[in-house]
Amino acid sequence: GDARMMALACGGHLDDAAYLTDYLLWMKQASGVYLWLGVADADGRLVAATDPATLALDVGRREWFLAARGGAAVVLGDVGPYEAAGGVDSVAVTAAIAGPDGAFAGVVMSLAGLPAVEGVVTRTIRAFQAREGFLGTLEYQFLNRDGLAFVDSDLAHKGNVNLLAMGLPSARLALAGAGEPGYVEEEHLRRRVRVLTGYARVRGEDAAGGLGWGVLVRMDEADILEPIRDVLLKLLVAGAVVWGPMFTLLLWAVPRLRREYAQARRESARAREAEATVREGARRLRAQYVTTEVLAEARTVQEAGGRILQTICESLGWELGALWLVEERARVLRCVALWCAPSREAGEFEAVTRRGTFAPGVGLPGRVWQSGEAVWIPDVVTDRNFPRAPAAARAGLHAAFACPIRVRGRVRGVFEFFSHEIRPPDEDLLLMLADIGDKTGQFIEHRQLEEQFRQVQKMEAIGHLAGGIAHDFNNLLTVINGYAQIILSRLPPGDPVAADVGEIQKAGGRAAALTQQLLAFSRRQVLQPKVLDLNGVVTGLESMLRRLIGEHITLITDLAPGLGRVRADPGQIEQVLLNLVVNARDAMPGGGRLTIKTADVEPAGQGFLFSDLGADAAPGSPDAPAGTPPVRAYVALAVSDTGRGIEPQVRAHIFEPFFTTKERGRGTGLGLSTVYGIVQQSGGHIWVESEPGEGATFTVYLPRVAAETATEAPGGRAPDAMPCGRETILLAEDEDMIRTMVSEQLQARGYRVLAASDGLEAFRLGVDTREPIHLLLTDVVMPGMSGREVAERLAAAHPEMRVLYMSGYTDDAAVRGDGDLLTKPFAPQELARRVREILDRRAA
C-alpha cells in the first residue's frame, strides 16, 4: 500500500528532485522500517534517494526494474543484502510510476530492513515463553522462498542453513502448495532429538501475492511430555503403597489437578485473546490497504471519503462515520460524506450531522480542527461539548473518536466515527487513523492542484477565442460605424433614410459594446489607465445609480475619507461598478438595501475589511498568477446587497463567460466575466462572499499607488467638429475596407494620403517619397512587416514623422510606449480629432 501511494504522490513531480527527496525522507522517518528509498526515471537513473551517495547507481538492468517496466504494478523482492542498504538484509518493494498519459514513467523502490522483522519475531517468542507455567524452550526460524533460514533463534546458523535443501519435512510443508498451517513430528537435524515443529506460510493481502516466506516454531518432545511423565510417576508411587496413603495422595492430587486445569483454561483464554488480537491487527491492516487503493482510484474527495468511511466502519466494527471539510470563506466545518451501517437506525442523527456546521473548538470535529490532534470520547451522551448528544442518545450511539486531515501541516478536514458501545481510548487505532488522515490530505492536495490547472486551461482557451473573435469584429465595426456616420453627415435634415441609418448606428454601437465585453473578459482590451480616486468615481455615478436601481432599493454609500489612489482606466472602472450594481439590483426584485463601500486595506495582519479571510488568503490567492510579486497595499471597492444570495454550486461558475442564471433574454452571461477581466487586467483581484438567502458581497481589490492628482472620471464631453489639414499622411492597413474608408475621410479633410496594403508596401512608399511625411497612421499587426517595424525603419528617413497606431486588441498594444494609439472601432470624428491632435503636437 505504501509503495502504491508513493508512486501516486511522485507521479507528477519526476522533474522536481528536491520535492522527491523531501518526500522520501519524510516517509523514511515516519515509518521507522525503511532503510532506504529511491525514485528512478524511465531509463533507470536514480533521480532522488534518501542516501545521496546512491544517486550514482544505474538500476536500469536490475530484475525488479525490468519487471516494473514490463507491466507489474508492484514487484516484491525476496530477503537479501542490497547495495543501497549498506549490505543489510532487506526486503525490496518496487512500484511502477505512471506518467500523465498512463505510460511507464519510472519506479519508486523501498528497502524494509530485516532487523525490524526479526525484532518483532524475537519479542513475540520471548513474551510467549515468559508466561506462567510454560516449560521448555522454543526454537524458531523464518525461511525465504528458497528455504534459507534468514531468521534463526540459533544465531550461529543464521543465514547459513538451507533447511529445504537438507530435506527437513517441516520446511517442505511450509513452502509447498497452499502452505496451510500445521505441525509435524520430526528429528532435529543438529541435536538428533525428536521435536514437534509447527509450520505456516506468510501470505499477502493483495494481488502482489505476498513474500511466500516459511515460519517454523519447534519444541522438544521431552519438554512437551514432561508434565505427563511427572503425573504418571506419581501415580506409580501411589500404587505401591496401601489404600490409606493412596487415599491421602488422591486428596493431595485433586487440588493440584484442579489448579493445573484452571491454569490450562487460563492459557486457553490467553491464546484466544492473542488470536483475537492477531485478527484485529489483520483487519486494521486490511482497512489501511483498502484505503490506499480507494485514494489511488477516486476522482473526488466525496467519492473517496464515502468509501473510506464504509471500509473503516465495516472492518473495525464502528456503526457510523462522517467526513468533514473546512470551508475557508465561512470558517466552518461542513459534512460532505456520511456512512451508516444498514442495521443501525440513526436517521435523526444523520440529518443533524448533514445539515450542521462547526466552528473551531465546537463539538468533536471543531475540537480536532482547533487542536490539530485526534480526540476520543468514551461516551458522547455525557460529554458537555457535544451539541448532537440528544440525537446520539436516541440513535444509541456512545463511543466516538475523530482525527485530523492535514494538507501542508494545516487541518483541512476531519474523520469522525461512532459506536453503540462505550469504549475506552485505543491508541493503536488513533495512530492508524492518523496515517489514513495524512494520506487523505495528500490526496486532497493532489486533486486541488489538478482542478486548478484544468480551470486555468479552460479559462485561458476561452479567453483566446473571445479575444480573437472581438479582434475581427472590431475591424468590421470600424467600417460599419464609420460609413454609417459618413452617410448621416451627407443626408439633408429630415431625410427619411436618416432614421434607418440611425438604427444601423445603434446596432453597431451595441455590437462594439459587446466586443469590448469579450475583450474585457479575455483581458485583451486596450486600457488607458490614469490615477483615480475611487470615491470620486462612486460620487460621479451616484445619481445615475439611484435611477438605475429604482425607488424600491435603498442605496447607501460608505466612502472612506482620505482614500488611497489607484491606477486604472476610468471608463472600465465605471463599467465594473455598473455591472456589480445591476447584478445586485436583479438579486432584489422585491426591494432591499444596496451598499457601496471603499477602504484602504492591507494584505496581512488582521485580515480584510469586507471578509474574514486570514493573512494567508490575501487578495490574489484565488486568482493571482504564480510568481506575481506581493502587493503591499490595496484599495477596496465593495458592493453588497440583501438579496437572495448565491448557491455554492452557482458561485463556482459566476465568472465564466456566458454563464447566467437569468431567464432567457434577460442577460448575456458576460457581465461578471467582464468585471473579472477588467479587474485582472488592472492588476487587481475580486472576491465574492455569499450564502443562500443572506445576500452577496463582491469586493474588488486594486493596488494602491503613490499619491498623485487624481484624474476626473470620464464625462460626457461632446465631440469636437472634425478638423482639417494639408499635411502628408502615410496610411498602412491590411484590411481593405478600413483602408479605403480612412483614406477617403482623411482626403476629405484636405490631407494628402499615401495608402499601403501592408507593412512592406508602406516601407517602400516611405523610402521612395522625397517630400516630408508628417504622420504614419498604421495598424499594428500586418503581413510581412508590423506597424512598429515600419515606424522604426522610417525614423531615419523621416525624423520629423509622428506615429499613430490603430488597434482593437491589447496584445497588439505592446507598442503603446513608442507612439499614440487609436482604439478600434473608431468614428470619423475621433479619427480626424486624433490625427489633428498629434500633428499639432508636432508643430508645437
Side-chain angles (χ1 to χ4, degrees):
D2 281 353
R4 285 175 171 161
M5 193 65 195
M6 287 190 288
L8 177 65
C10 296
H13 303 278
L14 283 176
D15 56 346
D16 189 350
Y19 170 88
L20 294 176
T21 301
D22 290 343
Y23 179 75
L24 296 178
L25 289 172
W26 173 80
M27 282 295 297
K28 179 180 177 184
Q29 180 181 6
S31 68
V33 174
Y34 299 120
L35 299 177
W36 178 88
L37 298 103
V39 175
D41 61 16
D43 297 325
R45 294 188 301 272
L46 283 173
V47 297
T50 54
D51 182 2
T54 61
L55 289 176
L57 293 178
D58 184 355
V59 298
R61 299 180 180 274
R62 305 292 172 89
E63 180 181 356
W64 49 267
F65 179 87
L66 297 175
R69 190 172 65 185
V74 177
V75 182
L76 299 177
D78 206 346
V79 65
Y82 285 83
E83 178 181 358
V88 178
D89 280 350
S90 311
V91 178
V93 184
T94 305
I97 300 174
D101 57 352
F104 175 79
V107 299
V108 57
M109 179 185 183
S110 60
L111 296 180
L114 185 60
V117 179
E118 188 172 2
V120 172
V121 176
T122 303
R123 288 194 300 272
T124 304
I125 295 296
R126 289 177 179 172
F128 191 82
Q129 291 184 133
R131 291 177 176 174
E132 182 182 353
F134 185 85
L135 300 175
T137 303
L138 285 175
E139 295 181 6
Y140 57 91
Q141 289 152 331
F142 268 44
L143 312 179
N144 68 6
R145 287 175 286 204
D146 298 324
L148 183 67
F150 62 91
V151 174
D152 199 329
S153 56
D154 185 356
L155 298 179
H157 296 85
K158 175 184 174 183
N160 300 320
V161 178
N162 191 314
L163 297 180
L164 188 61
M166 297 175 69
L168 188 67
S170 57
R172 176 176 52 81
L173 292 170
L175 297 174
E180 291 297 327
Y183 64 90
V184 63
E185 188 179 352
E186 60 187 8
E187 183 179 35
H188 199 288
L189 295 180
R190 292 195 293 268
R191 296 190 285 112
R192 299 299 177 185
V193 297
R194 301 300 295 177
V195 295
L196 195 65
T197 304
Y199 59 85
R201 185 176 182 181
V202 176
R203 288 178 293 183
E205 289 270 348
D206 58 7
L211 294 161
W213 292 342
V215 183
L216 305 180
V217 181
R218 67 176 62 85
M219 189 174 180
D220 289 359
E221 280 188 355
D223 291 338
I224 297 173
L225 297 175
E226 181 62 26
I228 301 175
R229 288 171 180 162
D230 181 61
V231 173
L232 291 176
L233 178 61
K234 291 175 182 177
L235 290 176
L236 180 62
V237 172
V241 298
V242 294
W243 288 103
M246 181 181 293
F247 181 72
T248 303
L249 181 62
L250 287 174
L251 291 176
W252 170 85
V254 168
R256 177 162 184 174
L257 288 173
R258 286 177 176 172
R259 287 195 300 272
E260 290 184 357
Y261 175 71
Q263 178 66 23
R265 293 191 63 180
R266 287 193 295 271
E267 289 293 334
S268 176
R270 282 195 288 267
R272 288 194 300 271
E273 182 181 344
E275 183 181 359
T277 301
V278 171
R279 285 198 300 268
E280 179 68 14
R283 287 196 297 268
R284 293 183 180 183
L285 288 174
R286 179 68 178 172
Q288 286 182 293
Y289 168 72
V290 173
T291 297
T292 301
E293 278 195 333
V294 168
L295 292 174
E297 297 170 358
R299 299 303 305 169
T300 65
V301 180
Q302 288 78 4
E303 176 189 349
R307 293 173 60 186
I308 290 173
L309 295 174
Q310 180 178 359
T311 297
I312 292 176
C313 288
E314 291 180 341
S315 300
L316 306 182
W318 292 76
E319 278 78 28
L320 188 143
L323 170 62
W324 302 80
L325 291 183
V326 174
E327 286 190 1
E328 288 294 339
R329 294 173 182 172
R331 292 292 292 171
V332 295
L333 279 167
R334 190 179 299 278
C335 179
V336 298
L338 187 144
W339 185 88
C340 182
S343 60
R344 174 62 51 183
E345 290 293 336
E348 179 188 358
F349 186 82
E350 289 184 53
V352 171
T353 300
R354 288 186 186 277
R355 67 171 178 261
T357 59
F358 287 103
V362 178
L364 178 55
R367 276 189 270 180
V368 174
W369 184 15
Q370 185 179 61
S371 66
E373 302 294 336
V375 175
W376 187 292
I377 303 177
D379 188 359
V380 296
V381 175
T382 61
D383 190 86
R384 295 184 177 180
N385 189 6
F386 194 82
R388 294 169 289 166
R394 287 188 286 272
L397 299 175
H398 292 280
F401 76 95
C403 66
I405 299 171
R406 295 184 178 88
V407 177
R408 296 185 179 273
R410 297 186 59 191
V411 177
R412 295 298 187 189
V414 174
F415 277 123
E416 182 184 48
F417 297 93
F418 296 88
S419 171
H420 70 281
E421 301 174 347
I422 297 176
R423 298 191 185 187
D426 186 337
E427 295 298 331
D428 292 337
L429 180 59
L430 292 178
L431 288 175
M432 185 196 85
L433 263 296
D435 177 68
I436 291 177
D438 289 342
K439 290 178 179 178
T440 305
Q442 295 176 12
F443 169 84
I444 292 174
E445 181 183 15
H446 186 69
R447 289 294 180 263
Q448 286 175 342
L449 291 174
E450 285 184 345
E451 181 60 29
Q452 290 174 8
F453 180 68
R454 284 194 296 268
Q455 185 71 9
V456 168
Q457 283 186 317
K458 179 178 71 173
M459 297 298 284
E460 188 64 24
I462 296 175
H464 279 295
L465 175 63
I469 294 173
H471 175 263
D472 292 339
F473 261 66
N474 274 332
N475 282 336
L476 296 175
L477 290 172
T478 299
V479 177
I480 294 172
N481 294 345
Y483 277 116
Q485 182 63 39
I486 292 172
I487 293 172
L488 277 178
S489 65
R490 293 175 180 175
L491 291 175
D495 194 307
V497 179
D500 297 333
V501 178
E503 291 300 319
I504 296 176
Q505 267 197 314
K506 290 180 183 179
R510 293 179 61 186
L514 181 60
T515 58
Q516 286 303 308
Q517 285 185 306
L518 287 172
L519 287 172
F521 159 71
S522 61
R523 285 171 272 172
R524 288 168 172 81
Q525 84 273 42
V526 179
L527 299 183
Q528 298 178 2
K530 300 173 183 177
V531 176
L532 286 179
D533 177 6
L534 291 184
N535 285 348
V537 175
V538 175
T539 303
L541 290 176
E542 185 172 356
S543 59
M544 183 179 70
L545 295 178
R546 293 187 186 277
R547 293 193 301 271
L548 183 66
I549 62 178
E551 296 181 355
H552 64 297
I553 296 176
T554 302
L555 177 63
I556 300 172
T557 57
D558 183 2
L559 308 181
L563 189 69
R565 302 298 192 256
V566 299
R567 181 176 293 277
D569 186 312
Q572 298 296 327
I573 296 302
E574 285 192 349
Q575 185 176 355
V576 167
L577 184 58
L578 286 171
N579 283 352
L580 293 179
V581 168
V582 167
N583 271 5
R585 178 201 65 186
D586 294 343
M588 300 182 288
R593 185 174 63 255
L594 190 153
T595 305
I596 302 175
K597 291 184 180 181
T598 61
D600 291 320
V601 295
E602 304 291 337
Q606 300 301 317
F608 291 144
L609 181 63
F610 304 117
S611 71
D612 57 359
L613 305 173
D616 61 331
S621 60
D623 48 24
T628 302
V631 176
R632 298 299 180 188
Y634 288 87
V635 177
L637 171 66
V639 177
S640 304
D641 65 69
T642 58
R644 50 185 171 236
I646 307 173
E647 297 286 343
Q649 61 270 25
V650 174
R651 195 166 60 233
H653 302 282
I654 57 176
F655 293 117
E656 295 180 5
F658 309 112
F659 177 84
T660 180
T661 58
K662 299 176 182 178
E663 58 269 22
R664 188 179 183 89
R666 287 291 304 277
T668 64
L670 286 174
L672 287 178
S673 62
T674 299
V675 169
Y676 181 86
I678 292 173
V679 172
Q680 283 284 288
Q681 196 176 4
S682 301
H685 314 286
I686 185 167
W687 194 274
V688 56
E689 296 176 274
S690 180
E691 292 294 337
E694 298 182 9
T697 297
F698 287 81
T699 307
V700 173
Y701 297 94
L702 296 175
R704 194 187 312 168
V705 298
E708 297 180 17
T709 302
T711 304
E712 293 290 336
R717 185 173 62 90
D720 299 331
M722 290 195 291
C724 301
R726 305 186 64 81
E727 290 89 344
T728 300
I729 299 175
L730 175 58
L731 171 64
E733 170 61 66
D734 60 319
E735 187 68 39
D736 294 340
M737 292 185 293
I738 295 179
R739 185 175 64 253
T740 301
M741 185 196 74
V742 171
S743 180
E744 290 176 355
Q745 285 298 300
L746 293 176
Q747 288 174 348
R749 305 273 76 76
Y751 298 104
R752 181 171 181 266
V753 179
L754 305 176
S757 61
D758 56 35
L760 288 174
E761 184 180 356
F763 175 70
R764 287 194 295 268
L765 281 174
V767 171
D768 295 341
T769 301
R770 299 302 179 186
E771 62 182 273
I773 295 178
H774 302 94
L775 176 67
L776 170 63
L777 178 60
T778 176
D779 194 10
V780 177
V781 178
M782 294 181 293
M785 185 181 296
S786 69
R788 180 175 183 176
E789 290 177 305
V790 174
E792 290 175 347
R793 295 192 180 188
L794 290 179
H798 300 278
E800 298 298 322
M801 180 183 69
R802 289 284 180 174
V803 180
L804 176 59
Y805 294 102
M806 297 182 292
S807 175
Y809 195 41
T810 190
D811 284 358
D812 299 347
V815 296
R816 282 180 292 180
D818 300 323
D820 291 279
L821 183 65
L822 179 60
T823 305
K824 296 178 181 178
F826 50 80
Q829 294 97 326
E830 184 180 4
L831 170 66
R833 182 181 60 81
R834 291 298 304 279
V835 167
R836 190 67 259 165
E837 175 186 308
I838 294 173
L839 289 173
D840 290 343
R841 187 191 310 161
R842 177 190 60 82

